Amino acid sequence: GGGGNIVVLADHHPSSKTKERRSSSRSSFMLPLLIASFTLLIMMVGRPRLLLSSSSSDDDALLQLKSDSTTSLRKPSDASSDYTSSRKQPTNNNSNYKLTPKHQFPKGWQTFSYDHIRHHFNCRQRSKDMNKPLPSLDDWNFMRKTYTQIVDNTIKPWNDDLIPPTLGYSIVPGVPVPPPYYAKLSPGKGRGLFASRYIKEGELVHDGTVSDIIFPDAMKFREFVFSLPRDFACDAAEWVWMQPLEKGGDYHLLIGINISALMNSGGKDWHDEEGKTVNTVPESGYEGKFYATRDIEEGEEILTDYDVYYTKWSLVGLG
């Protein structure tokens, strides 16, 4: 729709050199015009087009990439549209979550340690629940909204990223292609991340320097957690970690508010269960980029090693 008329030029019965010259003149005039028209058409058609659902639910296909401009990048299943349409994302009809006002925080909340926070919300019970659902788009957006309201309202809008948190984030800023994994609930085993395609050894699997956010101090983390409903608070306490951002630097509290937070740990944390071995780690305890330590097959769980990041909560004011 909206295209221009197609003009067909023809000399039906050229019978003289004069007509041939006129025809040649018209052709030489129209040829650049036709070339320019086709060039404009190709430019318009060749643009990458991204279609994103406008509803709060992302049950439908969330992403369709219709361009060859990013074919040099590795894409899940080699076709983002097929990938996203085949991965139905969890939904949640209850989006009317409420923040807990400060006057309802527990007495002495300003001095709560990390362990005290988990005990207050009885997070041990939630951690043991291996059938808790994947966070919905509403869940992720609520946690993000809480962070901007409570912690930092100057953070760049998450809306700038066309990849929804239920699919991760744009692993290359400005290119709407998610990381090579998806979130899945395995009944009786819990939530985790799984390779959406074959991943080669040494390949970038997750880039926390793009997706992670930082708490300025322990007090802001406490205020963030106590503002959340219990299940959200326990998830936040489970997903937060500490690390320096440079070699020899101070420790900071970080969290990911997208499916990257669901990456589990392998090795001894899995009691050497068969098949549960680490396959994705950062290069050091202060790096945020995670690389595959070996080839990872499509459908295999993405497992890191939590012990890569040293943990001593007193170093960040939560001791």
Side-chain angles (χ1 to χ4, degrees), residues 6 22-23 25 39 57 71 115 129 137 141 144 148 152 159-160 163 200 218 224 227 241 276 310:
I6 298 177
R22 287 175 181 174
S23 175
S25 175
T39 301
S57 167
T71 52
D115 290 335
D129 181 6
L137 185 60
N141 286 338
R144 289 178 168 191
T148 54
D152 184 3
N159 289 338
D160 287 353
I163 298 298
K200 189 176 180 180
F224 172 75
S227 296
W241 74 94
K276 299 292 186 181
Y310 177 69

Side-chain angles (χ1 to χ4, degrees), residues 300-318:
E300 186 178 348
E301 185 168 9
I302 305 295
L303 294 170
T304 189
D305 184 355
Y306 291 161
D307 290 336
V308 169
Y309 294 129
Y310 177 69
T311 302
K312 187 176 182 180
W313 297 113
S314 61
L315 294 178
V316 288
L318 287 176

Side-chain angles (χ1 to χ4, degrees), residues 177 190 288:
V177 176

Side-chain angles (χ1 to χ4, degrees), residues 237-254:
E238 183 175 331
W239 298 337
V240 74
W241 74 94
M242 52 177 283
Q243 72 169 84
L245 303 179
E246 58 186 1
K247 187 174 182 179
D250 294 333
Y251 281 88
H252 297 269
L253 288 166
L254 290 85

Side-chain angles (χ1 to χ4, degrees), residues 148-220:
T148 54
Q149 280 188 231
I150 302 299
V151 182
D152 184 3
N153 61 9
T154 66
I155 191 171
K156 69 175 183 177
W158 274 290
N159 289 338
D160 287 353
D161 192 349
L162 294 172
I163 298 298
T166 47
L167 294 179
Y169 57 95
S170 295
I171 193 166
V172 177
V175 180
V177 176
Y181 54 70
Y182 61 93
K184 184 178 75 171
L185 170 63
S186 301
K189 296 183 179 181
R191 308 177 291 191
L193 298 179
F194 297 82
S196 56
R197 57 167 174 79
Y198 172 78
I199 301 172
K200 189 176 180 180
E201 179 181 354
E203 186 179 340
L204 178 66
V205 178
H206 165 62
D207 190 350
T209 65
V210 173
S211 67
D212 298 338
I213 55 176
I214 304 171
F215 290 93
D217 52 47
M219 195 62 69
K220 278 298 181 183

Side-chain angles (χ1 to χ4, degrees), residues 76-217:
S77 301
D78 295 326
S80 293
S81 58
D82 293 340
Y83 167 70
T84 52
S85 62
S86 65
R87 304 287 181 196
K88 291 229 175 215
Q89 298 303 311
T91 59
N92 191 330
N93 293 325
N94 180 17
S95 59
N96 298 317
Y97 304 123
K98 303 293 183 183
L99 296 183
T100 303
K102 266 190 178 182
H103 69 269
Q104 292 182 14
F105 287 6
K107 185 178 180 179
W109 66 270
Q110 298 93 332
T111 61
F112 272 36
S113 67
Y114 175 82
D115 290 335
H116 197 177
I117 291 171
R118 285 183 52 85
H119 177 75
H120 170 79
F121 287 106
N122 191 18
C123 292
R124 181 185 295 270
Q125 182 183 35
R126 180 160 174 81
S127 295
K128 290 182 177 180
D129 181 6
M130 294 292 102
N131 294 309
K132 52 182 176 284
L134 293 175
S136 68
L137 185 60
D138 286 339
D139 294 341
W140 291 120
N141 286 338
F142 173 70
M143 292 191 75
R144 289 178 168 191
K145 180 180 178 181
T146 303
Y147 181 89
T148 54
Q149 280 188 231
I150 302 299
V151 182
D152 184 3
N153 61 9
T154 66
I155 191 171
K156 69 175 183 177
W158 274 290
N159 289 338
D160 287 353
D161 192 349
L162 294 172
I163 298 298
T166 47
L167 294 179
Y169 57 95
S170 295
I171 193 166
V172 177
V175 180
V177 176
Y181 54 70
Y182 61 93
K184 184 178 75 171
L185 170 63
S186 301
K189 296 183 179 181
R191 308 177 291 191
L193 298 179
F194 297 82
S196 56
R197 57 167 174 79
Y198 172 78
I199 301 172
K200 189 176 180 180
E201 179 181 354
E203 186 179 340
L204 178 66
V205 178
H206 165 62
D207 190 350
T209 65
V210 173
S211 67
D212 298 338
I213 55 176
I214 304 171
F215 290 93
D217 52 47

